[in-house]
Amino acid sequence: MKLLRLAVLGVAVAAVVAFAGVGLPDRASSGSASASRSITVTGTGAVSAVPNQSSFTFGVGTRGATAAQALATDSAQMQKLIAALRGTGVASDSLQTSSVSLSPRMSDSGDSVVGYDASNSVTVTIKGIDRVGAIVDAAVAAGANQVDGPNLTVSDQSALYKKALARAVADAREKAQALAAASGLRVGAVTSVEEQTDTPSPVRYDAAKLASSTPIEAGSQQISATVTVVFEAS
């Protein structure tokens, strides 16, 4: 009888132990991998270059008693302007019409049309900064009464931008290494790189400073790049 009681008690204890183990998570082994770590940084890089091309927009504005007269006069003036630009050596593929407009001119009271205003403008891309002054002079002498520019740019911006990208990635790695050293970590492989677009702005020149000799200074243009890089860390 005593043996029977001991057997029943042993079965009950085994059942409780088995039930207690249900639903409990497995413990990690000593050899399991630690949680992954990473360092995310933003790097910037820049390259400076002297602009070697520019663009100007030249326009002519005329008035006429009728719309046809205003437009015809304006068109004749623009043809003269384009001929003068070509005479300076500007190629046809460097000339592009940027706007043509015709609008009525109202009386002071605003209740009647007293004439028409017409305008036409052309954008010129000029290779070589040393030619810009002479071309501006020729355009104004040919009748251009609207001048906007120049926009000074570097012709081979793609190659310069790639250099800026490389410098941005190098800058990101230096920052990651500084953060890792301060945190007691080591910088590992790159896991992702994201480029942030940054279009270089043309260098503007104050058109109000234009004189008979029309001096133009090229200055310099900075082409920059920004990237976000994620590094493994250990």
Side-chain angles (χ1 to χ4, degrees), residues 56-97:
F56 266 95
T57 298
F58 301 111
V60 292
T62 59
R63 289 185 169 184
T66 65
Q69 182 185 29
L71 188 59
T73 302
D74 196 72
S75 297
Q77 289 280 20
M78 178 52 70
Q79 289 176 359
K80 180 181 177 181
L81 172 59
I82 291 175
L85 291 171
R86 287 176 175 166
T88 63
V90 175
S92 296
D93 59 1
S94 295
L95 295 169
Q96 184 177 47
T97 298

Side-chain angles (χ1 to χ4, degrees), residues 2 8 13 18-19 28 42 52 61 66 69 78 80 83-84 87 90 95-96 129 140 145 150-151 154 156 185 197 229:
K2 187 175 181 179
V8 172
V13 171
F19 181 78
T42 298
N52 58 1
T66 65
Q69 182 185 29
M78 178 52 70
K80 180 181 177 181
V90 175
L95 295 169
Q96 184 177 47
I129 304 300
V140 173
N145 51 23
N151 290 336
V154 179
D156 191 10
L185 299 172
T197 57
V229 186

Side-chain angles (χ1 to χ4, degrees), residues 187-228:
V187 176
V190 174
T191 59
S192 70
V193 180
E194 181 180 354
E195 174 191 8
Q196 300 178 18
T197 57
D198 184 13
T199 305
S201 300
V203 179
R204 296 284 298 178
Y205 186 85
D206 188 357
K209 295 181 181 178
L210 297 178
S212 58
S213 57
T214 317
I216 302 294
E217 297 296 333
S220 64
Q221 183 180 23
Q222 187 177 77
I223 299 174
S224 59
T226 303
V227 295
T228 298

Side-chain angles (χ1 to χ4, degrees), residues 65-207:
T66 65
Q69 182 185 29
L71 188 59
T73 302
D74 196 72
S75 297
Q77 289 280 20
M78 178 52 70
Q79 289 176 359
K80 180 181 177 181
L81 172 59
I82 291 175
L85 291 171
R86 287 176 175 166
T88 63
V90 175
S92 296
D93 59 1
S94 295
L95 295 169
Q96 184 177 47
T97 298
S98 52
S99 69
V100 176
S101 67
L102 178 66
S103 59
R105 187 172 68 258
M106 307 304 294
S107 61
D108 293 338
S109 59
D111 56 3
S112 62
V113 176
V114 297
Y116 291 85
D117 295 331
S119 66
N120 194 330
S121 61
V122 60
T123 298
V124 185
T125 301
I126 305 168
K127 297 180 180 179
I129 304 300
D130 56 338
R131 303 174 53 213
V132 173
I135 293 174
V136 172
D137 293 344
V140 173
N145 51 23
Q146 301 166 8
V147 180
D148 182 26
N151 290 336
L152 303 174
T153 58
V154 179
S155 58
D156 191 10
Q157 291 192 8
S158 177
L160 294 175
Y161 182 65
K162 290 177 182 178
K163 290 183 179 180
L165 278 174
R167 293 183 181 182
V169 173
D171 179 56
R173 181 173 290 279
E174 289 181 1
K175 291 180 179 178
Q177 290 172 341
L179 288 171
S183 305
L185 299 172
R186 286 187 176 182
V187 176
V190 174
T191 59
S192 70
V193 180
E194 181 180 354
E195 174 191 8
Q196 300 178 18
T197 57
D198 184 13
T199 305
S201 300
V203 179
R204 296 284 298 178
Y205 186 85
D206 188 357

